[in-house]
C-alpha cells in the first residue's frame, strides 16, 4: 500500500504525488500537492493524457496475474513505467499546471471516459 505522505516521484526539483479518492490511491491520477483528494481540489492530472512522446513505448497498465507475489511485481512494474513517463515529462519541462487545468476544465476522468466510449 502506498503511503499518502510518500512522494510518487521527486525529479529535478519537481515533486509528484499520488491522488487519492476514498482512502485509496488512484491508478492513473497524480497530484501536484501531497494528500490530494480527487473529489475536491482540482490539483491532479491523468497520466494517460500527457503527450504521446512521454508515453511512447511504455505500458501504463498492470498485467493481471493470479499469484499474489506476481501481482505485487506487476504493480511495481506499472509504477516504474509511470515514474518513467513523469521523468520524461519533467526532463522536457512539461507544464503540469496546464495538464491539471486541461483535465479539470474538460470534466476530468468521467468526461474523458465517456468520450472514449462514444457516449
Amino acid at each position: 500500500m502506498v503511503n499518502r505522505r510518500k512522494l510518487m516521484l521527486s525529479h529535478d526539483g519537481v515533486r509528484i504525488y499520488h491522488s487519492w479518492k476514498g482512502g485509496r490511491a488512484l491508478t492513473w491520477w497524480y497530484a501536484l500537492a501531497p494528500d490530494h483528494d480527487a473529489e475536491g481540489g482540482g490539483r491532479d492530472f491523468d497520466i494517460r493524457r500527457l503527450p504521446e512522446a512521454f508515453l511512447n513505448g511504455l505500458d501504463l497498465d498492470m498485467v493481471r496475474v493470479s499469484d499474489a507475489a506476481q501481482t505485487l511485481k506487476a504493480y511495481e512494474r506499472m509504477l516504474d513505467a509511470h515514474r518513467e513517463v513523469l521523468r520524461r515529462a519533467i526532463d522536457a519541462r512539461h507544464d503540469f499546471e496546464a495538464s491539471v487545468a486541461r483535465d479539470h476544465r474538460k470534466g476530468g476522468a468521467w468526461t474523458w471516459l465517456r468520450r472514449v466510449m462514444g457516449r
Side-chain angles (χ1 to χ4, degrees):
M1 184 78 164
V2 177
N3 182 326
R4 284 182 185 226
R5 302 194 192 320
K6 183 178 175 188
L7 289 171
M8 168 56 175
L9 177 74
S10 179
H11 180 71
D12 200 22
V14 177
R15 294 175 187 234
I16 305 289
Y17 302 86
H18 285 274
S19 189
W20 295 83
K21 184 174 183 177
R24 296 183 62 174
L26 297 174
T27 303
W28 294 286
W29 283 77
Y30 293 96
L32 302 178
D35 293 333
H36 177 73
D37 185 350
E39 295 179 320
R43 297 283 301 147
D44 55 358
F45 62 92
D46 184 337
I47 195 170
R48 298 166 296 183
R49 296 192 67 208
L50 291 177
E52 184 62 36
F54 307 144
L55 308 174
N56 193 23
L58 296 172
D59 184 4
L60 299 183
D61 209 352
M62 188 172 116
V63 176
R64 299 284 179 206
V65 293
S66 58
D67 178 79
Q70 292 301 317
T71 298
L72 183 57
K73 288 179 184 177
Y75 181 72
E76 287 301 321
R77 281 191 300 272
M78 179 192 73
L79 289 180
D80 286 344
H82 288 203
R83 285 184 191 98
E84 180 58 25
V85 168
L86 295 170
R87 275 190 216 91
R88 290 175 181 182
I90 292 167
D91 289 345
R93 303 293 183 235
H94 177 71
D95 184 352
F96 287 101
E97 293 287 345
S99 291
V100 166
R102 177 206 58 226
D103 288 355
H104 289 279
R105 181 177 57 247
K106 294 184 178 178
W110 292 114
T111 300
W112 178 83
L113 183 59
R114 283 192 297 271
R115 272 194 307 251
V116 168
M117 296 178 71
R119 296 180 184 198

